[in-house]
Amino acid sequence: MAGNLYIVATPIGNLGDISERALEVLKQVDLIAAEDTRHSKTLLDRFGIKTKVKAYHEHNEEQFTAQLIQQIVDGESIALISDAGTPLINDPGYKLVTAAHDNGIKVIPIPGPSAVITALSASGLPTSKFIFEGYLPAKTEARKKCLQQLISESRTLVFYEAPHRIRESIQDIQEVFGSERRATVARELTKQYEQIVRDSLFIVNEKLINEEIKIKGEFVIIVEGAQEISVSDAEVLRINQILSEKLPPKEAAGLTSKITGKKKNEVYQMALESNEK
Ligand code: SAM
């Protein structure tokens, strides 16, 4: 009988957040595949877990995925953990989980903390619809381009950020999304110096500049989505018509889409149909 692959969430700071089920699984499996064996040792030692641990990270996942799958097929059960939070959420594991499914292996999630959900739950921003973007690009030009593409996104946006880029990123978000939009910076969640600040992007930026928000530790940025604007089809066509006088049809449709929030291909199609009439 094949074993199982367990995807085990671990704390994002406070070790008290480990679940009973996570501890049971980590004790009972044949092997723990950990992103960083030294890092995970602190957690495993604290709970007296003596299970064998093997490194499984982005640099060796290609090489070890087949080997781990073979061990499971041969009857061993393996638990995947990352340095913190839920594996695969901006952490390694995707190749292993896909390979497990491809080989008919049962994948069992053991839910627990993840910085994205923890931050969102305390953000004071709308939570019913959100998108998680992971890390923004490191270079300003690419970062602003990425933000431009998100400018009319109406769902709450969640980003991970490193301390050495938090100021630049908030500045760029403010520049692209405008000073008035609300944002929450969640720092060092579940840890001693936890800090959660919600304000306009302008004030959040100020608080980072004057270090009211400390530039240390781990960060999640949550930004309010764009206000949904309701523009009638007639208005969409009118804007597109004006832009078409100066621009090729696809560019005009693209700009109209940015202005009105209507999808570019829908604008293009509407314009075609209107021209045929
Ligand atoms: N798998 C993890 C999860 O489920 O949240 C995320 C791993 S990702 C490599 C690490 C990033 O998550 C950090 O750079 C930071 O943006 C965010 N993060 C992790 N722990 C955090 C914490 N305690 N407080 C704030 N952000 C945290």
Side-chain angles (χ1 to χ4, degrees), residues 174-185:
Q174 185 190 191
E175 201 176 309
V176 178
F177 291 177
S179 307
E180 296 307 313
R181 270 225 221 165
R182 289 184 304 168
T184 300
V185 168

Side-chain angles (χ1 to χ4, degrees), residues 12 84 86 89-91 114-115 135 160-161 189 218-220:
I12 55 168
T86 302
I89 306 303
N90 258 101
D91 269 335
S114 184
Y135 291 99
Y160 280 167
E161 198 45 282
L189 290 163
E218 301 193 275
F219 289 86
V220 182

Side-chain angles (χ1 to χ4, degrees), residues 41-243:
K41 195 173 180 306
T42 316
L43 174 86
L44 301 175
D45 284 353
R46 154 91 182 256
F47 294 104
I49 295 165
K50 306 250 182 296
T51 310
K52 203 167 112 192
V53 184
K54 188 170 178 167
Y56 183 79
H57 44 69
E58 56 177 338
H59 304 295
N60 72 5
E61 60 179 341
E62 200 77 61
Q63 180 192 349
F64 280 132
T65 298
Q67 196 178 314
L68 294 178
I69 292 293
Q70 191 55 51
Q71 282 176 247
I72 302 175
V73 168
D74 291 344
E76 287 191 15
S77 277
I78 294 181
L80 176 70
I81 59 173
S82 55
D83 284 354
T86 302
L88 281 89
I89 306 303
N90 258 101
D91 269 335
Y94 176 65
K95 284 203 172 76
L96 186 60
V97 172
T98 1
H101 280 284
D102 292 346
N103 285 275
I105 290 166
K106 199 165 169 190
V107 180
I108 304 175
I110 308 295
S114 184
V116 47
I117 300 298
T118 309
L120 196 60
S121 69
S123 69
L125 294 172
T127 52
S128 54
K129 287 186 183 177
F130 67 92
I131 61 161
F132 173 55
E133 282 285 315
Y135 291 99
L136 281 164
K139 299 226 166 88
T140 300
E141 200 185 323
R143 185 162 56 228
K144 282 192 185 162
K145 204 168 163 198
C146 171
L147 290 166
Q148 287 289 354
Q149 281 161 1
L150 294 167
I151 198 162
S152 45
E153 174 56 63
S154 60
R155 291 166 291 185
T156 298
L157 302 111
V158 188
F159 305 96
Y160 280 167
E161 198 45 282
H164 59 280
R165 276 201 290 270
I166 185 75
R167 273 189 180 139
E168 298 170 24
S169 283
I170 288 287
Q171 256 163 26
D172 288 349
I173 295 172
Q174 185 190 191
E175 201 176 309
V176 178
F177 291 177
S179 307
E180 296 307 313
R181 270 225 221 165
R182 289 184 304 168
T184 300
V185 168
R187 180 175 89 86
E188 293 288 86
L189 290 163
T190 76
K191 303 187 204 174
Q192 187 179 2
Y193 296 106
E194 180 177 83
Q195 200 179 10
I196 299 170
V197 176
R198 187 195 70 168
D199 220 311
S200 67
L201 275 164
F202 178 80
I203 301 289
V204 168
N205 190 32
E206 291 286 296
K207 287 184 175 172
L208 281 163
I209 292 169
N210 67 23
E211 295 206 29
E212 218 174 297
I213 302 174
K214 295 269 172 299
I215 315 294
K216 257 189 179 174
E218 301 193 275
F219 289 86
V220 182
I221 302 171
I222 303 124
V223 187
E224 185 176 35
Q227 297 296 324
E228 285 202 56
I229 41 167
S230 133
V231 181
S232 68
D233 284 357
E235 187 62 3
V236 172
L237 275 174
R238 195 182 73 80
I239 293 169
N240 192 62
Q241 179 60 40
I242 295 168
L243 295 173

